[in-house]
Amino acid sequence: MRQSSLVVVANRLPIDDSTAPDGACEWRRRPGGLVSALHSPLRQTPATWVGWAGGTGPAPALPDVDGVRMRPVPLTAEDLRDHYEGFVNATLWPLYHDAVEQPEHHRRWWEAYQRVNQRFAAAVAEVAEPGAVVWVQDYHLQLVPGLLRALRPDLRIGFFLHVAFPPPELFMQLPRRAELLRGMLGADLVGFQRAQAAHNFAQLADRVLGLPATDRRIAVDGRIVRVGSFPVSIDTAEMAALADRPDVADRAKRLRRDLGSPERVILSVDRMDYTKGIEQRLKAYSELIADGHIKVQDTVLVQVAVPSRERVGQYQILRERVEREVGRINGEFGRVGEPAIHYLTQPFGRAELAALYRIADVMAVTPLRDGMNLVAKEYVAARVDDTGALLLSEFAGAAAELAQAYLVNPHDLEGLKQGLLAALRAQPEQVRGRMRAMRTHLRQHDIHAWARSYLAALDQDSALLSRLGTTR
Ligand code: ADP
Ligand code: G6P
């Protein structure tokens, strides 16, 4: 078994199933912020990525991808049901997102969570060379830092949570809250998207475990665990270069023509998830049409909503409701050849996404709660001519950085409608000033800066940094 000095652990591997068997593997870039985020900084870095390759049964043998070794962890059908679809996405996900859907608690799911976390920890212990840096990602694997420390005390362990971390009042609902906190505290550094999340975590360490804790340091078992916020980002330069490509510009022109050359295009791009505020957005849009503020002949909405976690009940219900509403709005307000909403559920390649961002006069990103939201940042990076208005939820982590967006509270329907109208009607000079400021911010705070700052904080002798992004 070859070993690595940097091991990244995430629930999913970034590999595309369809290209894996013939050896011509490509980064999957499947819809989802985590894979999008880690793809750029890791490329060509001598590292191993430990994760699930999708599906059930024995793990497939996988070739390296862009110089990164793939180490698959197998899941059984039962693991998939009770870990991924159960504890991960029907207990933790809704609870961490303000309980906008009711979190479910089942003892069997907790057993599966422990079992799968143990399997991941064992896989990492095998592939990490002595003294290696291990970077554990996200809410699927909160027990891994603690389990790994018990197996391999020589490792330097980081944990980063990509999603929101809830206030103590909500977290306290978890029957196994103490074990989850202890699991995360197995790390040397626990990173969050927002300073508020780090604060919530420190409060919980104090309240649930009685540990001496500040927002930056928690003392546990004679060690100091550092805590901090590291807002994740995108490869700004890569997205800007893609959006600037002549073929992407041509594609954007064609897309706009295909939409009937409307005056204004509103775009939303989400995973089909109840945290994304899709239903509230559709309601705001349809009321603006009904009120006569928007005319379908000159303003269209393109809603991309790629299905996600399709076997989880709450996701099935959401998809049915969204599709019924899209049908109702198109039936009521569309005309032949002129739908009010262009609704697409397909995953797109990066160039097609960039072309879509280019045609969006207004990008509507209005989640009810979101750890960060990379789509908002991708849109900004793609607006290479400084045009375009970003309508952004106050409850997306990105709002803390993209202060020049048109900020809205998506729970407030009137406010959402007013915000959408303001973004649609904004004067070009105003839009340009705002977009320019946001683009300047993202040029400095890109994904490479994020990875460097996290790993520098984790591996203070910084030997690792010389290898990360050696590519740049
Ligand atoms: P989340 O991680 O909750 O899905 P983010 O907005 O942070 O939300 O990240 C979503 C990522 O998935 C972005 O990089 C975006 O480009 C990508 N994505 C979303 N929808 C699609 C789609 N239909 N096709 C391809 N990529 C998509
Ligand atoms: C969010 C999570 C990721 C997850 C992604 C897609 O971004 O933070 O960990 O991979 O959603 O969800 P999925 O369930 O398809 O992996």
Side-chain angles (χ1 to χ4, degrees):
M1 174 66 62
R2 285 184 301 168
Q3 294 191 319
S4 292
S5 57
L6 173 62
V7 181
V8 167
V9 202
N11 180 55
R12 279 187 190 281
L13 289 173
I15 296 240
D16 193 333
D17 293 324
S18 60
T19 53
D22 64 332
C25 257
E26 284 185 353
W27 289 94
R28 164 178 270 167
R29 301 301 295 254
R30 64 173 278 134
L34 189 153
V35 164
S36 287
L38 288 174
H39 153 257
S40 276
L42 278 188
R43 208 164 31 195
Q44 306 308 345
T45 301
T48 296
W49 185 317
V50 175
W52 170 52
T56 54
L62 298 169
D64 296 1
V65 179
D66 283 348
V68 178
R69 230 170 271 160
M70 298 290 133
R71 166 66 164 87
V73 176
L75 292 188
T76 64
E78 204 182 3
D79 297 332
L80 195 64
R81 186 191 64 207
D82 294 341
H83 169 73
Y84 174 72
E85 291 161 4
F87 196 78
V88 164
N89 284 315
T91 304
L92 291 180
W93 179 269
L95 189 82
Y96 283 14
H97 292 88
D98 290 350
V100 292
E101 288 287 345
Q102 185 65 35
E104 283 182 52
H105 301 286
H106 300 290
R107 283 164 289 187
R108 201 181 63 235
W109 289 2
W110 170 249
E111 282 159 25
Y113 190 75
Q114 289 175 289
R115 177 172 77 234
V116 171
N117 272 252
Q118 271 155 4
R119 200 173 307 144
F120 272 79
V124 176
E126 255 178 46
V127 299
E129 68 178 42
V133 168
V134 178
W135 196 1
V136 185
Q137 313 286 326
D138 232 356
Y139 61 108
H140 317 75
L141 302 176
Q142 280 172 223
L143 301 180
V144 167
L147 293 166
L148 197 54
R149 180 165 298 279
L151 289 170
R152 290 284 306 270
D154 60 301
L155 301 176
R156 184 164 287 274
I157 304 169
F159 177 81
F160 184 78
L161 188 73
H162 289 253
V163 304
F165 188 72
E169 295 67 36
L170 276 176
F171 190 89
M172 294 294 279
Q173 290 179 13
L174 281 167
R176 311 310 288 257
R177 58 201 185 191
E179 286 98 322
L180 282 166
L181 292 172
R182 280 213 160 268
M184 292 163 84
L185 286 166
D188 296 291
L189 175 66
V190 179
F192 297 94
Q193 302 277 20
R194 309 276 310 263
Q196 180 63 47
H199 177 67
N200 294 346
F201 182 67
Q203 277 197 313
L204 282 161
D206 173 14
R207 204 187 290 181
V208 177
L209 302 176
L211 297 173
T214 69
D215 290 5
R216 305 178 78 105
R217 296 158 78 83
I218 300 173
V220 56
D221 304 337
R223 294 183 299 121
I224 293 293
V225 177
R226 278 169 308 123
V227 182
S229 63
F230 302 84
V232 76
S233 196
I234 58 161
D235 192 330
T236 312
E238 184 188 71
M239 178 49 82
L242 185 60
D244 217 14
R245 257 173 34 189
D247 59 316
V248 172
D250 286 347
R251 177 70 189 138
K253 280 199 199 108
R254 229 170 328 131
L255 276 171
R256 196 160 192 119
R257 258 200 322 269
D258 291 348
L259 289 173
S261 304
E263 270 171 42
R264 314 298 268 158
V265 176
I266 307 167
L267 173 68
S268 287
V269 176
D270 308 282
R271 268 185 314 100
M272 178 73 82
D273 195 298
Y274 50 80
T275 60
K276 301 291 182 184
I278 301 172
E279 290 184 278
Q280 288 77 358
R281 194 185 306 142
L282 292 179
K283 193 162 171 56
Y285 177 66
S286 80
E287 285 197 10
L288 286 171
I289 303 174
D291 297 346
H293 292 299
I294 285 181
K295 293 206 176 8
V296 171
Q297 299 92 286
D298 29 71
T299 304
V300 298
L301 170 63
V302 178
Q303 172 68 65
V304 180
V306 66
S308 178
R309 308 172 191 167
E310 290 175 83
R311 295 190 342 170
V312 179
Q314 287 159 335
Y315 287 75
Q316 291 167 352
I317 293 169
L318 174 75
R319 183 169 183 181
E320 279 164 23
R321 287 176 22 176
V322 165
E323 298 196 339
R324 198 174 321 127
E325 189 60 3
V326 168
R328 181 193 71 77
I329 296 170
N330 278 339
E332 206 163 314
F333 302 111
R335 299 202 302 210
V336 173
E338 225 174 49
I341 303 173
H342 295 258
Y343 172 69
L344 302 160
T345 57
Q346 305 135 47
F348 293 113
R350 302 302 292 169
E352 186 73 1
L353 270 181
L356 282 165
Y357 292 143
R358 278 194 68 137
I359 62 165
D361 303 293
V362 173
M363 182 82 205
V365 182
T366 57
L368 303 176
R369 174 63 70 191
D370 211 326
M372 176 52 63
N373 198 291
L374 295 182
V375 163
K377 292 189 169 180
E378 288 169 359
Y379 173 68
V380 169
R383 303 303 298 190
V384 284
D385 58 0
D386 290 334
T387 60
L390 174 64
L391 182 75
L392 181 61
S393 164
E394 292 167 18
F395 301 108
E401 294 174 80
L402 304 179
Q404 296 81 6
Y406 291 81
L407 293 176
V408 286
N409 170 3
H411 301 274
D412 167 14
L413 190 61
E414 280 310 314
L416 188 52
K417 288 165 69 179
Q418 291 314 316
L420 187 52
L421 277 186
L424 281 167
R425 293 175 179 170
Q427 294 302 310
E429 320 79 73
Q430 194 199 38
V431 162
R432 185 160 286 127
R434 288 175 177 236
M435 186 54 78
R436 198 174 291 140
M438 292 191 287
R439 291 190 60 227
T440 303
H441 174 86
L442 284 189
R443 268 196 295 272
Q444 285 157 11
H445 299 90
D446 70 355
I447 192 64
H448 304 294
W450 172 77
R452 270 197 305 272
S453 73
Y454 185 92
L455 290 173
L458 174 60
D459 183 36
Q460 282 166 329
D461 67 16
S462 284
L464 184 68
L465 287 183
S466 56
R467 291 193 297 274
L468 178 79
T470 34
T471 58
R472 152 190 17 254

